[in-house]
Amino acid sequence: MESRGSVPARPLSYEGVWRFTAPAVDSSVPQARHAVRDLLKRQRVPIRDGVVQGVLLIVSELVTNAVLHAALLSPEIAVEVAIGAAWIRVSVEDNHPYRPTALETDHARTGGRGLLLVQEIAREAGGNCGVEHTAGGGKIVWAVLPFPSPAAPDGPPPRGGVTSPRQTR
């Protein structure tokens, strides 16, 4: 006998996957952040403001890294937002083969801490982040953050994989 209250029969209204592309230029950073913010509002995702702020900072950092370090080989980047019942995954894809790693904090440097910041935001929220190569030789840098949802007690998908149906909008 199946329990009706344990698993929704269909995806929640805010679940799905959205992807958009942007030129690898400075102005794409605030545009991507605003697009993600507007998506979360439009979909009425039941996500706390602190998690939203973390997601938006992660989007800013990942798009900034792609603009600064990949634009020469990747004049266009892709931003993807996947939302499950109780998690959100943001990723930025570019065509540059360099695979970044989080740098140790060096207080003498004025930059180079973006991925470290992404790792800390994800970890503090109970999520994770990573980098994967694409079939075309580029990379996807992603972060998954859980958010409490009364509709689904499950946490984020393992290693950032998306378990909900793919809906590109």
Side-chain angles (χ1 to χ4, degrees):
M1 187 168 177
E2 185 177 298
S3 170
R4 291 181 173 261
S6 63
V7 178
R10 58 183 178 197
L12 298 170
S13 62
Y14 58 82
E15 289 184 276
V17 178
W18 295 264
R19 182 179 174 93
F20 60 90
T21 59
V25 296
D26 291 340
S27 62
S28 292
V29 176
Q31 289 173 352
R33 186 176 57 248
H34 294 145
V36 171
R37 180 199 63 205
D38 294 346
L39 170 68
L40 296 176
K41 285 182 182 178
R42 185 174 60 249
Q43 292 304 117
R44 295 187 175 129
V45 180
I47 187 171
R48 289 188 333 262
D49 190 53
V51 178
V52 170
Q53 295 309 313
V55 166
L56 297 179
L57 184 53
I58 287 170
V59 169
S60 291
E61 289 296 332
L62 296 183
V63 173
T64 296
N65 282 351
V67 167
L68 290 175
H69 303 294
L72 185 61
L73 296 178
S74 186
E76 187 174 81
I77 61 171
V79 177
E80 186 173 278
V81 179
I83 304 170
W87 51 266
I88 181 167
R89 179 184 192 260
V90 294
S91 61
V92 175
E93 179 178 349
D94 64 58
N95 292 323
H96 197 290
Y98 171 71
R99 187 176 175 136
T101 57
L103 303 174
E104 294 298 319
T105 303
D106 179 354
H107 296 290
R109 293 183 57 176
T110 59
R113 295 188 203 106
L115 196 53
L116 184 63
L117 179 61
V118 168
Q119 282 182 328
E120 287 302 313
I121 292 169
R123 185 180 1 233
E124 283 183 20
N128 57 16
C129 65
V131 180
E132 299 172 1
H133 286 289
T134 65
K139 66 182 165 303
I140 300 171
V141 184
W142 55 266
V144 176
L145 284 76
F147 60 86
S149 170
D154 62 334
R159 288 208 36 199
V162 177
T163 57
S164 65
R166 186 174 182 95
Q167 303 172 351
T168 304
R169 298 181 183 180

